[in-house]
């Protein structure tokens, strides 16, 4: 208090004024500072609001992405199921070649796996009319309506035949509207079932509700399935065609076999009659011929009186011709006996080389006469083989005799024998006039003689090769000839190494 007494009021006012100024200065400073702080806070707040908005946006994006992901997952699951169903269907239908079985295998549960409410497979029948083969989710009336409407809609059919696939996943068209009306589905895929020869039918799948609209993926899946069905149906149809052709062929073969069997029977009957006739005639001819030959011989001896030279000459001719006739008759009798199985084949083991050597000895005069070279080559492994010695000797005499007859002087005749599996193959080769390819197939026919220069002058019956063939066949062998005109001929025949046929016994009195 004492202090106020000593300070004059002016000073006091000055002090108070100074204090007030200081306080207001401090206040101003404080307010400025607060203001700055407020501004900072405001900017932070703004930042926070912005961040909040950003976070909100991001949250919304995440929710949206999540929804999309869920949707994509659903779509993926659907496609996976569809693909599994497609794979199962493909596997099932590609392993059958029966059309009915194909549609039995595409059953309703399989269709359901594809994930569509409505499924329909229509296929053309033989009258080219649509027929329902598989259906799911359609009523009878609806199917009836679809069959009639589609059958009558030439334009839609043509578009399908051209390979067009219709789907509600693509842009709406007039045809799509039509399909919605025909099939009574809001969402659909309608695809043709095609094969190489055109359209076999159609496949339609669909859903009624908007929640299950079809996608481009569905369209692809259904078109693959339709292709698979088309391929399986085509395979089944081809198999059916092949099977039917084979049935026809088989019945034709059976008919032909029957005809051939009866023709063979007829030929056998005729051949038997011919053999019997030849045999009877030959027997009848042989007796008087023997008498003629006998009388001619007696006359030639002169015992019945001297005969002039000119008569002797004619009697000699009668004798020679009678010999030829006897030979011919004997050949004919042998052919008919072997043919009818009445000839006796006495199978015994004989050395082939010795037999051929014997034939060579018999024919040596003729060989010498024409100065024909004779060679023989027999495989070391060939020793004794089962045969009727006399008959096989006849075969060699005929073949070598012919070879001599049809080979010019200085020629060569070669006889070879070698083992070919279970047979011995013999070849008689000459360097003679040869035989033309037209004559070769007829060579073994009875009385067949080739028209050539030698045959014009040399007598023959045309029975030799026929008899040879019969003998070889009676031994279960085969005979054939190869030849080149003017170069030579080879006769080939086979004989079994082991006997596999029983002895044939000649009936008494034949
Ligand atoms: P033939 O000798 O009595 O005429 P074959 O039946 O033995 O009767 O022979 C039939 C025909 O086959 C002969 O006329 C002859 O034209 C032909 N031929 C047979 N063997 C030969 C051969 N080695 N070379 C050429 N032609 C042959």
């Amino acid at each position: 208090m004492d202090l106020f007494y000593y300070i004059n009021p002016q000073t006091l006012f000055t002090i108070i004024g100074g204090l007030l100024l200081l306080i207001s200065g401090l206040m101003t400073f404080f307010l400025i500072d607060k203001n700055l702080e407020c501004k900072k806070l405001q900017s932070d707040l703004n930042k926070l609001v912005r961040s909040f908005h950003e976070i909100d946006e991001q949250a919304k994006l995440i929710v949206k992405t999540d929804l999309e992901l869920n949707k994509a997952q659903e779509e993926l699951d659907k496609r996976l199921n569809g693909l599994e169903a497609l794979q199962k269907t493909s596997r099932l239908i590609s392993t059958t070649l029966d059309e009915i079985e194909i549609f039995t295998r595409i059953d309703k549960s399989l269709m359901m796996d594809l994930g569509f409410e409505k499924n329909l497979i229509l296929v053309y029948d033989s009258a080219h009319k649509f027929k329902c083969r598989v259906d799911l989710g359609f009523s009878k009336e609806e199917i009836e309506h679809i069959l009639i409407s589609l059958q009558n809609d030439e334009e839609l059919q043509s578009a399908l035949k051209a390979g067009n696939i219709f789907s509600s996943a693509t842009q709406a068209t007039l045809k799509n509207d039509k399909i919605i009306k025909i099939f009574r589905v809001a969402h659909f895929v309608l695809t043709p079932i095609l094969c190489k020869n055109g359209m076999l039918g159609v496949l339609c799948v669909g859903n009624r509700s908007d929640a299950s609209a079809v996608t481009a993926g569905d369209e692809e899946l259904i078109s693959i399935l339709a292709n698979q069905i088309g391929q399986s149906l085509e395979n089944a149809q081809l198999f059916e065609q092949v099977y039917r052709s084979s049935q026809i062929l088989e019945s034709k073969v059976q008919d032909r076999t029957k005809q051939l069997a009866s023709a063979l029977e007829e030929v056998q009957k005729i051949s038997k009659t011919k053999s019997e006739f030849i045999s009877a005639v030959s027997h009848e001819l042989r007796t008087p011929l023997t008498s003629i030959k006998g009388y001619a011989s007696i006359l030639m001896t002169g015992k019945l009186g001297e005969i002039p030279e000119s008569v002797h000459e004619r009697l000699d001719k009668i004798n020679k011709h009678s010999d030829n006739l006897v030979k011919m008759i004997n050949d004919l009798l042998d052919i008919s006996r072997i043919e009818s199985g009445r000839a006796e084949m006495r199978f015994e083991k004989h050395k082939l080389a010795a037999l051929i050597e014997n034939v060579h000895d018999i024919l040596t005069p003729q060989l010498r006469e024409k100065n024909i070279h004779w060679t023989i080559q027999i495989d070391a492994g060939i020793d004794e083989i089962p045969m009727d010695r006399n008959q096989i000797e006849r075969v060699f005499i005929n073949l070598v005799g012919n070879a001599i007859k049809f080979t010019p002087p200085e020629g060569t005749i070669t006889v070879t024998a070698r083992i070919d599996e279970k047979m011995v193959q013999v070849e008689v080769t000459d360097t003679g006039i040869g035989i033309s390819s037209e004559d070769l197939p007829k060579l073994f026919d009875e009385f067949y003689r080739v028209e050539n220069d030698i045959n014009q002058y040399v007598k023959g019956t045309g029975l030799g090769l026929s008899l040879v063939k019969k003998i070889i066949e009676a031994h279960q062998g085969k005979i054939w000839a190869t030849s080149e005109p003017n170069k030579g001929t080879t006769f080939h025949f086979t004989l079994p190494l082991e006997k596999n046929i029983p002895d044939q016994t000649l009936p008494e009195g034949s």
Side-chain angles (χ1 to χ4, degrees), residues 402 405-406 430 435 443 448-450 455 460-462 464-465 491:
N402 276 345
K405 208 185 329 180
F406 297 102
D430 62 52
I435 302 163
L443 222 53
Y448 190 78
R449 301 192 79 214
V450 178
N455 271 346
T461 58
L465 289 181
F491 280 88

Side-chain angles (χ1 to χ4, degrees), residues 296 299-300 305-318:
L299 284 173
M300 276 165 77
E306 270 305 301
I307 50 162
E309 190 51 35
S310 57
V311 176
H312 195 279
E313 269 174 29
R314 280 163 181 82
L315 281 173
D316 192 39
K317 276 191 179 165
I318 290 174

Side-chain angles (χ1 to χ4, degrees), residues 14-260:
T14 310
I15 290 167
I16 290 167
L19 276 171
L20 281 171
L21 210 68
L22 181 71
I23 289 165
S24 73
L26 281 169
M27 284 286 281
T28 311
F29 177 75
F30 180 75
L31 278 173
I32 286 168
D33 186 47
K34 280 291 166 199
N35 197 24
L36 278 174
E37 215 169 281
C38 266
K39 272 190 182 159
K40 198 173 166 272
L41 275 173
Q42 184 66 42
S43 120
D44 285 348
L45 191 68
N46 284 346
K47 271 187 193 164
L48 266 173
V49 169
R50 264 205 310 277
S51 300
F52 177 75
H53 280 301
E54 274 172 20
I55 288 168
D56 188 44
E57 281 300 311
Q58 275 176 7
K60 276 184 193 159
L61 203 70
I62 287 169
V63 171
K64 199 176 155 216
T65 315
D66 191 44
L67 279 174
E68 276 172 8
L69 267 172
N70 277 344
K71 216 174 148 204
Q73 180 69 43
E74 260 174 43
E75 177 71 11
L76 214 66
D77 285 347
K78 202 175 141 200
R79 289 212 65 186
L80 206 67
N81 284 343
L83 280 172
E84 270 175 16
L86 177 68
Q87 193 209 23
K88 202 170 157 192
T89 316
S90 301
R91 195 173 359 99
L92 283 173
I93 64 174
S94 60
T95 49
T96 177
L97 288 168
D98 178 20
E99 196 174 318
I100 297 170
E101 185 61 22
I102 289 173
F103 293 114
T104 313
R105 290 186 183 188
I106 310 175
D107 65 357
K108 295 194 176 180
S109 68
L110 212 66
M111 284 307 241
M112 236 181 297
D113 288 348
L114 286 172
F116 300 95
E117 288 170 55
K118 293 179 165 249
N119 304 267
L120 197 65
I121 297 177
L122 308 178
V123 173
Y124 282 131
D125 63 10
S126 52
H128 212 67
K129 292 252 177 298
F130 278 118
K131 216 177 147 190
C132 176
R133 303 305 296 261
V134 178
D135 68 279
L136 178 71
F138 287 98
S139 69
K140 267 192 177 176
E141 292 71 35
E142 279 174 328
I143 294 171
E144 202 57 40
H145 165 76
I146 293 166
L147 285 173
I148 296 168
S149 312
L150 199 60
Q151 195 71 48
N152 294 335
D153 198 328
E154 295 282 340
E155 199 195 349
L156 185 57
Q157 275 192 67
S158 306
L160 286 161
K161 278 176 191 167
N164 291 306
I165 300 169
F166 298 98
S167 155
S168 53
T170 52
Q171 237 182 3
T173 60
L174 276 177
K175 285 205 182 69
N176 279 14
D177 292 346
K178 215 188 253 181
I179 293 164
I180 292 170
K181 272 189 204 141
I182 294 175
F183 289 88
R184 291 174 185 160
V185 277
H187 308 280
F188 66 86
V189 177
L190 174 67
T191 166
I193 297 172
L194 297 166
C195 76
K196 267 194 217 111
N197 297 332
M199 187 168 87
L200 299 169
V202 293
L203 166 63
C204 180
V205 296
N207 291 320
R208 261 175 299 202
S209 70
D210 279 349
S212 43
V214 298
T215 61
D218 292 333
E219 192 182 316
E220 203 182 326
L221 186 87
I222 296 307
S223 81
I224 295 172
L225 178 63
N227 279 347
Q228 186 63 52
I229 297 173
Q231 243 168 44
S232 297
L233 285 177
E234 190 177 21
N235 288 346
Q237 284 178 358
L238 284 174
F239 177 75
E240 179 75 16
Q241 273 172 21
V242 172
Y243 180 73
R244 249 189 260 139
S245 312
S246 77
Q247 294 284 95
I248 293 170
L249 206 71
E250 204 178 303
S251 90
K252 274 189 184 163
V253 167
Q254 271 173 8
D255 287 353
R256 206 82 191 99
T257 312
K258 267 187 210 155
Q259 282 172 11
L260 283 173

Side-chain angles (χ1 to χ4, degrees), residues 327 331 398-407 428-430 432-436 439 442-452 454-455 458-468 483 488-491:
K327 189 184 173 303
D331 280 354
N398 261 294
L399 295 181
V400 179
N402 276 345
I404 297 171
K405 208 185 329 180
F406 297 102
T407 301
V428 179
T429 305
D430 62 52
I433 59 166
I435 302 163
S436 73
D439 288 311
K442 300 174 234 163
L443 222 53
F444 298 96
D445 292 353
E446 282 154 33
F447 302 108
Y448 190 78
R449 301 192 79 214
V450 178
E451 277 182 29
N452 57 34
I454 295 175
N455 271 346
V458 183
K459 293 262 176 301
T461 58
L463 286 172
L465 289 181
S466 175
L467 181 64
V468 161
S483 184
T489 306
T490 299
F491 280 88

